[in-house]
Amino acid sequence: MQSPRPILSMKRPKTPSAPPPSTPPTPQHRQSFTKLINPISSKRRNILQNPQPLPSAAAAIEWKPLKINKSELYLPLTFPTGQTFRWRNTGPLQYTGPIGPHLVSLKQLEGDDVGYFCHFTDSDETARINLFDFLNMGISLNEIWSVFKASDERFAELAMYLEGARVLRQDPLECLIQFICSSNNNIQRITKMVDFISSKGKFLGNVGGFDFFEFPTLDKLASVSEAELREAGFGYRAKYIVGTVAALQSKPGGGMEWLASLRKSDLQGAITGLSTLPGVGPKVAACVALFSLDQHHAIPVDTHVWQIATRYLIPELAGTTLTPRVCSRVADAFVSKYGKYAGWAQTLLFISELPSQKSILPSSLWNTVEKSEIKLQIEVHEIQETKENRRSKKKKNDS
DNA sequence: GGGAGACCTAGTAA
DNA sequence: ATTACTAGGTCTC
């Protein structure tokens, strides 16, 4: 079973009969989503639970070789693992999503390669360049992982099972808004919210039953009110988004340029800058820095990473709370262990903690469960022991 | 500086 | 059927 399932409620109603595999943008598609959070009809639910086989036309896609090994890019460990909430699983080992104005599908091919396909485009060359950029192709996963493996036995072991977990290079605005949505939230709802925002952008087409949109411009975002976002189920994050958009717009020289300039800043500068935006704390800032600002040693410290850190890196901090200061100590510990690409190492370690990956890891590497299981085993053992004791005592008494 | 609550919501465990 | 808690945190005291 694939791990995070596509969120169905995001799909617009459609007829149960097989839709065309991919639908180019037409005016009728421009009708915007209504509320994101609305009850799904039972009919639609069925579609979700029994996804129809991909339309035969999908097989007709002519994949162009990316010429990249699985060890450099394995899609299921790169797209549905919390870096982006904009891509959809549109087939076996196949993912589709927007890259700027382009709509791209990627598929793991036979023969250890990944294929790509740019939908509805007449500037394939531009799309390809943007794709390479988005995939961070300038960085060799094998090269940087070999360093991690050499210095960390546990990483080496995890890496055998989780090859090809690559860090993407997303658009900064897109990344920022997504991670503001992610605070104190779960993947399913984050995806719904991101989808709502995205639907304000230019429609790019439909693939595998999913609508895709270019991410809305800053101006377009500014036209969305806090009330509308609350209505759509954003909760208190509605205020953050409106506030952040306003803050960006007020930057002299432009918000987009300001964000882009953080790519040339050092990590601390980027984090400090991002943290001035409402709804952006240490975690969100680090995510944006790592996933969109070329800050390869940014460490998003969430509860999972915190667990890893107190288990392997700085056990002396176990039991304390995750304050900003502790947060940066954790980040420092990762950087001193893994070096300038520490964020890429953290990504693999984080993925290894995801429940969805447990099935592909040997149980000896399940940390989170391991602990509770051991505890459970001890408890069971103790109970059996006491039973044993009682029994033997009883025997003694009886005799 | 660190600690405690509140903050929206949906889903699930008691 | 209610209640409590949690989920890739942040803000305010």
Side-chain angles (χ1 to χ4, degrees), chain A residues 339-371:
Chain A
K340 67 174 181 174
Y341 287 98
W344 289 60
Q346 177 273 349
T347 297
L348 173 71
L349 298 174
F350 170 78
I351 288 172
S352 74
E353 298 286 312
L354 293 175
S356 55
Q357 304 304 332
K358 291 232 177 80
S359 57
I360 64 175
L361 286 176
S363 53
S364 59
L365 288 170
W366 294 4
N367 275 295
T368 43
V369 183
E370 199 176 42
K371 260 192 184 172

Side-chain angles (χ1 to χ4, degrees), chain A residues 26 83 89 103 111 181 203 256 266 272 296 395:
Chain A
T26 59
Q83 286 188 64
N89 183 204
L103 182 56
C181 291
F203 181 66
M256 298 304 282
D266 63 357
T272 306
H296 302 301
K395 266 189 185 171

